[in-house]
Amino acid sequence: MPRRHYDLDEVLALAESGKVAAEIIEELGLTVGERAIQKAVNKYLGPLPKRAPALAGDRLRRRVVAWMVESGLDEHYCAACNQWSAYPCSIRELRQDDDLGSLVFVCRHCVRPGDV
């Protein structure tokens, strides 16, 4: 079995504090690869929560939805079946152009491939 060239407790402590493998390697001055650190962390700590930017969602979509709501559309009203939805609706493009005015909301029942 290969011998580790780093202190596992230090690596795990840094991983629990939110540092990723590249930051751990840089901080401890290790010579192992990122994948070795990732494997060790996954083995002893399990999958850790993702970083905040990855969980933040799609900022562009949020801005488009905000513009559509500001323009008078309701995020919970489906333009295809004209019914209210308890969940936020998807966005459908009515015409293939660059005009944001051609976007409408559609519910989960009316959604098609290509709707966002």
Side-chain angles (χ1 to χ4, degrees):
M1 184 176 236
R3 187 169 179 274
R4 279 192 207 103
H5 300 287
Y6 53 88
D7 183 17
L8 184 61
D9 293 331
E10 286 181 340
V11 170
L12 296 178
L14 289 172
E16 285 180 326
S17 71
K19 300 209 183 241
V20 295
E23 294 170 343
I24 293 171
I25 290 170
E26 183 179 339
E27 186 166 326
L28 297 177
L30 303 177
T31 58
V32 297
E34 289 183 29
R35 188 66 189 131
I37 299 296
Q38 292 168 348
K39 283 183 180 181
V41 169
N42 286 337
K43 180 177 180 182
Y44 292 99
L45 297 179
L48 296 177
K50 305 287 185 235
R51 288 191 148 192
L55 296 174
D58 188 1
R59 289 183 281 165
L60 179 60
R61 186 186 188 285
R62 279 199 315 263
R63 290 177 183 168
V64 169
V65 167
W67 182 87
M68 291 171 69
V69 168
E70 199 174 287
S71 297
L73 298 175
D74 192 330
E75 188 178 4
H76 295 277
Y77 184 75
C78 177
C81 65
N82 297 323
Q83 293 192 4
W84 294 96
S85 172
Y87 302 100
C89 294
S90 297
I91 300 172
R92 177 176 292 166
E93 185 179 20
L94 294 178
R95 294 183 308 270
Q96 295 286 331
D97 59 7
D98 294 336
D99 184 24
L100 288 178
S102 67
L103 301 176
V104 295
F105 290 110
V106 291
C107 67
R108 293 174 17 177
H109 303 289
C110 300
V111 72
R112 297 185 303 213
D115 294 341
V116 187

